[in-house]
């Protein structure tokens, strides 16, 4: 590997010519590809000074996605505004930018990510950067880079700096040969999408780093997440968000899945609560590194019926997208989350009627909601 040799030779020459006459110890760390990941033990970084606190210092990657902004809001209430840093490669909206610390971070740029962790004394990292299922299938090379190479960068940095690392997984980590009703924590996983493959990879790599390097890795398999705070982002379960927007704006909704396609779902507040709870759980309480979590399971037809209790004039039609339908047909119908409920006390708050009422409340649809008789 000539690049590594050239870099090593340059570093040795630099150390030998050091004007201070003192030895500088170089600590090797794990490598990805041919990048020599080394740092001088007395290297000097510009660090912002913060008051000492028992609160974690949190970095959220991919922070402008469906879950990042909501998680930042929850964590800032818990740990303080300046202890939680959102990051992404996109420009944030004004309300996000002024709500707390935000920085540019590209997870494919190892050096940039490492500097952020060091300069801001990060202790907890939530890794949300990923391309979702349908979007990933449309651009497999990009999904492979973001979802797998980016994860490798995060794992190495987390292990090196002794971070508590959370990486979400998904119902998409299962495949057509997995038991579907219910799907347990431990079973055959043979997903048919690059998104699912990358999430199985994340689960296994995180567990490996935990046992090999002592990394405090924690992971939850999310069901479909429903939120009023964000627009659908290319996922197979996004129909369950789109129906609310269309019910309010046009009174017409066209679903891209079959009416009887049953999938596990969850309101975002339950998802964020579970994420914080598993991160705060004592290490000795965790019997595994990756858990299923669930709240409810429904089909498009059942969701439409519940929505029509609020908007009776809603017209629902079905135009099945073959790609999304094939993905959904390979996913669990119900999650078995008994281990999470036993180990760290997971308990959801929202069932389907509460979810629908809450969504309409947050979307400000009073003018269209009719009173159900």
């Amino acid at each position: 590997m000539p690049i590594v040799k050239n870099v090593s030779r340059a570093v040795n020459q630099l150390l030998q010519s050091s004007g201070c006459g003192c030895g500088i110890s170089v600590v090797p760390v794990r490598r990805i590809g041919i990048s020599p990941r080394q740092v001088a033990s007395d290297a000097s970084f510009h660090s912002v000074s913060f008051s000492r606190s028992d609160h974690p210092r949190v970095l959220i990657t991919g922070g402008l996605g469906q879950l990042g902004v909501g998680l930042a809001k929850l964590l800032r209430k818990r740990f303080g505004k300046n202890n939680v840093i959102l990051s992404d490669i996109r420009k944030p909206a004004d309300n996000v930018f002024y709500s707390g610390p935000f920085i540019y971070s590209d997870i494919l740029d190892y050096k940039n990510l490492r500097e952020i962790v060091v300069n801001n004394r990060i202790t907890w990292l939530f890794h949300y950067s990923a391309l979702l299922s349908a979007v990933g299938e449309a651009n497999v090379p990009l999904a492979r880079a973001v979802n797998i190479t980016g994860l490798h960068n995060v794992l190495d940095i987390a292990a090196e700096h002794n971070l508590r690392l959370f990486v979400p997984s998904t119902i998409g980590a299962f495949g057509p040969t997995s038991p579907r009703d219910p799907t347990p924590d431990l079973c055959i996983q043979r997903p048919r999408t690059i998104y699912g493959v990358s999430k199985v990879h994340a689960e296994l790599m995180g567990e490996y780093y935990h046992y090999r390097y002592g990394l405090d890795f924690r992971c939850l398999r999310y069901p479909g997440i429903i939120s009023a705070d964000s627009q659908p982002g290319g996922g197979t379960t996004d129909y369950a968000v789109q129906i609310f927007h269309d019910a309010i704006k046009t009174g017409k909704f066209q679903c891209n899945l079959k009416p009887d396609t049953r999938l596990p779902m969850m309101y975002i507040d339950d998802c964020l609560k579970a994420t914080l709870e598993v991160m705060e759980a004592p290490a000795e309480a965790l019997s595994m590194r990756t858990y299923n979590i669930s709240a409810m399971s429904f089909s498009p037809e059942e969701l439409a019926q519940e929505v029509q209790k609020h908007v009776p004039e809603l017209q629902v039609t079905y135009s099945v997208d073959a790609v999304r339908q094939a993905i959904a047909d390979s996913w669990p119908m119900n999650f078995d989350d008994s281990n999470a409920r036993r180990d760290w006390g997971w308990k959801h708050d929202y069932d389907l009627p509460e979810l629908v009422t809450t969504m309409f409340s947050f979307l400000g649809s009073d003018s269209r909601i009719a009173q159900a008789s």
Side-chain angles (χ1 to χ4, degrees), residues 178-255:
S178 304
R180 299 186 65 210
D181 191 13
T183 303
D185 285 304
L186 300 176
C187 66
I188 293 174
Q189 292 177 258
R190 291 292 185 272
R192 297 284 179 84
T193 67
I194 185 61
Y195 178 59
V197 168
S198 70
K199 287 303 183 181
V200 174
H201 178 77
E203 294 176 14
L204 294 176
M205 287 294 289
E207 186 170 329
Y208 172 76
Y209 268 61
H210 171 71
Y211 289 110
R212 178 67 175 83
Y213 302 116
L215 174 64
D216 190 353
F217 172 84
R218 305 181 182 205
C219 177
L220 296 178
R221 293 192 188 106
Y222 290 157
I225 304 302
I226 301 175
S227 168
D229 294 329
S230 61
Q231 294 292 324
T236 301
T237 60
D238 278 354
Y239 83 87
V241 176
Q242 190 66 53
I243 189 172
F244 293 97
H245 293 278
D246 290 355
I248 293 168
K249 293 178 181 178
T250 67
K252 297 179 180 180
F253 171 64
Q254 185 177 85
C255 183

Side-chain angles (χ1 to χ4, degrees), residues 247-267:
I248 293 168
K249 293 178 181 178
T250 67
K252 297 179 180 180
F253 171 64
Q254 185 177 85
C255 183
N256 52 30
L257 296 179
K258 295 178 181 178
D260 61 349
T261 305
R262 180 173 297 277
L263 294 168
M265 299 283 187
M266 179 178 287
Y267 184 58

Side-chain angles (χ1 to χ4, degrees), residues 46-155:
H46 171 71
S47 299
V48 180
S49 177
F50 297 97
S51 59
R52 290 187 176 182
S53 169
D54 292 332
H55 292 322
R57 293 280 300 162
V58 178
L59 175 66
I60 304 173
T61 67
L64 297 184
Q66 183 184 24
L67 296 172
V69 174
L71 181 64
K73 184 177 180 180
L74 176 65
L75 296 180
R76 284 166 179 165
K77 287 182 179 178
R78 187 66 167 267
F79 303 131
K81 176 179 176 179
N82 291 324
N83 285 320
V84 180
I85 302 173
L86 266 179
S87 71
D88 210 304
I89 60 173
R90 296 178 290 154
K91 184 170 67 174
D94 286 349
N95 65 309
V96 174
F97 184 77
Y98 292 109
S99 65
F102 177 89
I103 55 177
Y104 173 89
S105 176
D106 180 356
I107 60 165
L108 297 179
D109 186 339
Y110 176 87
K111 182 176 183 293
N112 168 250
L113 186 60
R114 192 168 183 271
E115 287 175 346
I116 290 169
V117 168
V118 171
N119 290 351
N120 295 283
R121 303 193 300 170
I122 299 301
T123 57
W124 284 15
L125 198 159
F126 294 82
H127 178 51
Y128 278 108
S129 298
L131 264 65
L132 301 183
S133 55
V135 174
E137 290 306 290
N139 194 338
V140 171
L142 180 61
R144 187 175 61 236
V146 173
N147 296 7
I148 295 179
T149 304
L151 170 77
H152 293 172
N153 289 341
V154 167
L155 284 169

